[in-house]
Every structure is written in structure tokens, then in C-alpha cells.
Amino acid sequence: MKYYDSKGNLVELNISQSSSFGTTASIYKGEDGIAYKKYFENSEINISQSMFETLKSIDNPHFINLIERYYSESQVIDYNHFIESISKTKPNYDFTSSYPYRISLYTYYWIQKDYIDLLEEDKEYLLDNLNELFKLSNILSRNHVKLSDMKVENCLCNKSGIVLIDPDLYFFVSGRLPFNKNQFKILYLVSQLCQTLTSHNDFETIEKVKELFSDCYDETNKAVKTLSKKLRGYRRPIDYLNR
């Protein structure tokens, strides 16, 4: 199919069979290490061009590495109007407004997913990733980006770390965005990962995981220190839970 890129160039993208499906889009993996996220035609949750460009500028190993946005050729009737519209990338704080042209597809660098049992991993994996994700969330806060739709399905884990993906529902907030707002979202996500990405998913262990994180929400900026103190003397989180 033919698409216009963010510079207005008409290109043909030959996308093979999809690797996975979501509620709003399909994901395709190219042979060159590039991933393609193609929205369904009736999708109403396409990422905005201003959000895409803001997130594209963030270079962080724990965040999806965005490459390019594309618009289906069929959308474009007035090319000059199209070029003028897609060049507007300043943050949009108005929830009621929308861009006349919707991103149909975007590319990013493929992220390898490994099986990680967070409770069986060395505790440093949990502590280091939480600390780095907090740093990432602070960068997003400085860019007035509020995290949203933070669920297990919207991140990937591998030996290198935890990576946030699928930022379609992130949104801009006018004015100062306190760090703890996004940190709270990160903390909740990591807690959910510890309850989900493990073979120890019985009710008793899940309740113990909740207890492990329970003291962290009041002061999220001290969450890593709080967890580190609890896990002191134990090599893995599961060792602490089975104490």
C-alpha cells in the first residue's frame, strides 16, 4: 500500500503477515528489524502527530524507539493542506480538538521479548528497572506527557530490562506535571508485572507481592529505597516472599 510519510513523500510499504493483533491495530515485523504498527480503519485511538514527535525525541533503552509516521494515500485530497497539517507538531493540550489527518501506521525498532520470571530474577533486576523507569517517567513529566493505559500488555520484558511500548493513549498536560503522578503509574505497572510474569501466581503469593509494594505508594520517589530495604538479605524477590 502507498502512504505519505511525515515529510509528504509518497512511499510504498510492503508489509508481510502480522505478528500480533490488538484491539486497534496489527503489528508486523520486518526483516530489517523494523516493526510496523498499522491501525485498523475504524480505530479511534491513533496516536497524535504531536505526541508521536515528542516521544520520538526520547532516547531511552526502556522506551519504544519510534522512527516514522505514515498517512494512508486515500486520506489526502488537498496535498497542500495535508502538508500544512502534518507539519504541526507542537503539544496539543485540547482534548476536544483533533488533527484532520490521522496517522495510519508508524514504525519503530523491534523489541525482542524474553521469558522473565520477575520473582525468580535477582532482586537487582527489579530494583534497577524500577529506578530507570522512574527516570524515564520524569523525562516524560518534563515534556508534559501523562502516562496512561499502563498495563502488562503494554510493555515488554527481556534480559536487558523492561520496555514501555504502545503509547497511543498518553496525553499532554498543560502546566507543571509533578513527578509522582507518572511515578505512581510506573510503580503500579511493575507491581502488576511481578504478579503476572511469574510461575508463582497463586493467590497467597500475589497477596504477598501487593504487600511488598504497599509501602511504596505514599512516597514514590523513595520506592526503590523502600523495596531495597525490604529485600535486604535476600537474593531474589521470591526468597523474600517465602521467608
Side-chain angles (χ1 to χ4, degrees), residues 23-56:
T23 57
T24 62
S26 296
I27 306 296
Y28 303 81
K29 180 183 179 182
E31 296 180 354
D32 51 1
I34 305 299
Y36 301 78
K37 179 168 184 176
K38 181 182 178 183
Y39 292 105
F40 301 137
E41 289 187 8
N42 60 349
S43 171
E44 297 181 356
I45 314 181
N46 306 45
I47 190 171
S48 72
Q49 59 200 42
S50 57
M51 181 60 71
F52 183 91
E53 292 301 326
T54 297
L55 299 181
K56 179 182 175 181

Side-chain angles (χ1 to χ4, degrees), residues 8-126:
N9 301 309
L10 187 61
V11 298
E12 184 157 3
L13 299 177
N14 296 314
I15 304 174
S16 58
Q17 187 176 359
S18 65
S19 299
S20 61
F21 292 92
T23 57
T24 62
S26 296
I27 306 296
Y28 303 81
K29 180 183 179 182
E31 296 180 354
D32 51 1
I34 305 299
Y36 301 78
K37 179 168 184 176
K38 181 182 178 183
Y39 292 105
F40 301 137
E41 289 187 8
N42 60 349
S43 171
E44 297 181 356
I45 314 181
N46 306 45
I47 190 171
S48 72
Q49 59 200 42
S50 57
M51 181 60 71
F52 183 91
E53 292 301 326
T54 297
L55 299 181
K56 179 182 175 181
S57 68
I58 295 175
D59 181 13
N60 188 290
H62 294 272
F63 194 64
I64 184 172
N65 192 343
L66 301 174
I67 302 174
E68 180 61 284
R69 53 188 162 100
Y70 296 92
Y71 303 79
S72 61
E73 182 186 21
S74 59
Q75 288 189 74
V76 182
I77 298 175
D78 184 335
Y79 181 76
N80 291 329
H81 179 262
F82 169 70
I83 292 297
E84 180 183 0
S85 175
I86 65 171
S87 64
K88 298 177 180 178
T89 57
K90 290 184 178 180
N92 182 2
Y93 303 108
D94 186 356
F95 287 102
T96 63
S97 67
S98 60
Y99 297 98
Y101 300 94
R102 299 167 69 88
I103 293 176
S104 305
L105 176 153
Y106 68 77
T107 54
Y108 61 94
Y109 289 105
W110 181 262
I111 304 163
Q112 181 61 42
K113 180 180 180 181
D114 299 325
Y115 174 74
I116 299 291
D117 189 321
L118 285 177
L119 300 184
E120 293 280 355
E121 289 290 317
D122 191 287
K123 65 183 178 183
E124 297 306 322
Y125 183 92
L126 172 61

Side-chain angles (χ1 to χ4, degrees), residues 138-152:
N138 293 345
I139 294 172
L140 293 169
S141 296
R142 292 190 191 99
N143 282 276
H144 306 279
V145 175
K146 182 72 178 292
L147 292 169
S148 182
D149 201 27
M150 300 295 287
K151 54 188 180 182
V152 172

